[in-house]
Amino acid sequence: MSLLVVGSVALDSIETPFASHKDVLGGSASFFSVVASALTPVRMVAVVGDDFPEEHVDFFRQREVDVEGLQRVEGRTFRWSGRYHENMVDRDTLDTQLNVFQDFKPVLPDAYRESEYIFLANIDPKLQLQVLEQVRNPKFVACDTMNFWLQGETLESFRKVLASTHAVFVNDEEARLLSGEHNLVKAAAAIRKMGVERVIVKRGDAGAQLHDDDGIFIAPAFPLEGVADPTGAGDSFAGGFVSYIANRGRLDGATLRQAMVFGTATASFSVEAFSLDRFKTLDLPQVLDRCAKYGELVRFDPISL
Ligand code: AMP
């Protein structure tokens, strides 16, 4: 099986009430690839500038991420900076510099065109569309975005992306922006009417919801004693979710629910350290152990009076 991702590879500057870090490895494609590669081979399509530290590319390679589609060009790498509020959930984007992404034209290496599973991570929807046009016959396509892209011309492109995918990941704010509905059940239903079968709403420490033909499935967040940096939690969730589906090769209701739990577990590790640092020491048995603990946390006997 083969999983292709297009998205941002970034240098992030993050401030939390407790610490701040400058120019650390970030980006939607980075989090997604590193997480997903634990279960399935990943092909990465993105661009970095000549200032991007080679040690990060080595880290991708160590995780067996195929970086043939990661272009390095003259110029500055994409940069994003954000500041988290006291609650460590809400955040303000302080700055987004597209830099080398401004003129990026993704050209897929030939082998990538046959990829069966596709994740269109948060990036300019026009780039998501260009990638989609180059793949031949994918089995499952999922996409993500961010409020930054949900306005004007790029919003129009994102609507086209939505209509050609099988699943979309959104947070509450994005769900409301896209649908114009405040209530999340109504918002998810409205987004499904735009042509995408499954809507996954990510709600930070309030967990995630899957909305599809079977109804709604809810997965609470795994309770943690401390959160160091929530950045990338959404991409790590998607990395766990999509790689689980690719690994199993099925899309039935039971598999989708397991994918929600696997995504919840991988996202919970992501926030325990800054940037992608937690993944430097994480292995699959630790993730599976957390999935088992999670099963205990949500298990209860049927109620009968
Ligand atoms: P998340 O916390 O899951 O929403 O993902 C945050 C990551 O998305 C950061 O590492 C950023 O580098 C990246 N990012 C932020 N804004 C954008 C944007 N407008 N387009 C693409 N990637 C972005």
Side-chain angles (χ1 to χ4, degrees), residues 1-120:
M1 108 275 319
S2 46
L3 171 56
L4 171 80
V5 57
V6 59
S8 55
V9 171
L11 294 174
D12 287 347
S13 294
I14 317 277
E15 288 174 37
T16 74
F18 314 104
S20 58
H21 288 253
K22 196 173 170 354
D23 283 345
V24 292
L25 176 62
S28 54
S30 308
F31 282 98
F32 180 91
S33 305
V34 166
V35 169
S37 61
L39 286 194
T40 178
V42 178
R43 298 155 164 177
M44 182 196 263
V45 176
V47 62
V48 292
D50 45 21
D51 56 351
F52 190 70
E54 190 58 27
E55 64 180 88
H56 297 330
V57 183
D58 287 340
F59 175 50
F60 295 146
R61 284 199 192 99
Q62 276 158 26
R63 302 303 298 235
E64 303 201 25
V65 176
D66 181 339
V67 287
E68 197 193 332
L70 176 65
Q71 294 179 26
R72 186 188 275 279
V73 300
E74 237 176 73
R76 275 165 68 79
T77 298
F78 175 90
R79 275 173 171 72
W80 176 78
S81 58
R83 183 187 291 139
Y84 287 89
H85 298 189
E86 267 323 298
N87 64 10
M88 287 297 271
V89 176
D90 299 320
R91 72 179 177 205
D92 300 315
T93 289
L94 302 177
D95 193 23
T96 302
Q97 297 174 15
L98 296 179
N99 298 335
V100 290
F101 266 103
Q102 220 138 18
D103 299 314
F104 178 53
K105 296 261 175 307
V107 178
L108 302 197
D110 236 10
Y112 282 27
R113 294 172 196 255
E114 305 295 340
S115 302
E116 293 168 302
Y117 295 86
I118 314 288
F119 185 62
L120 308 169

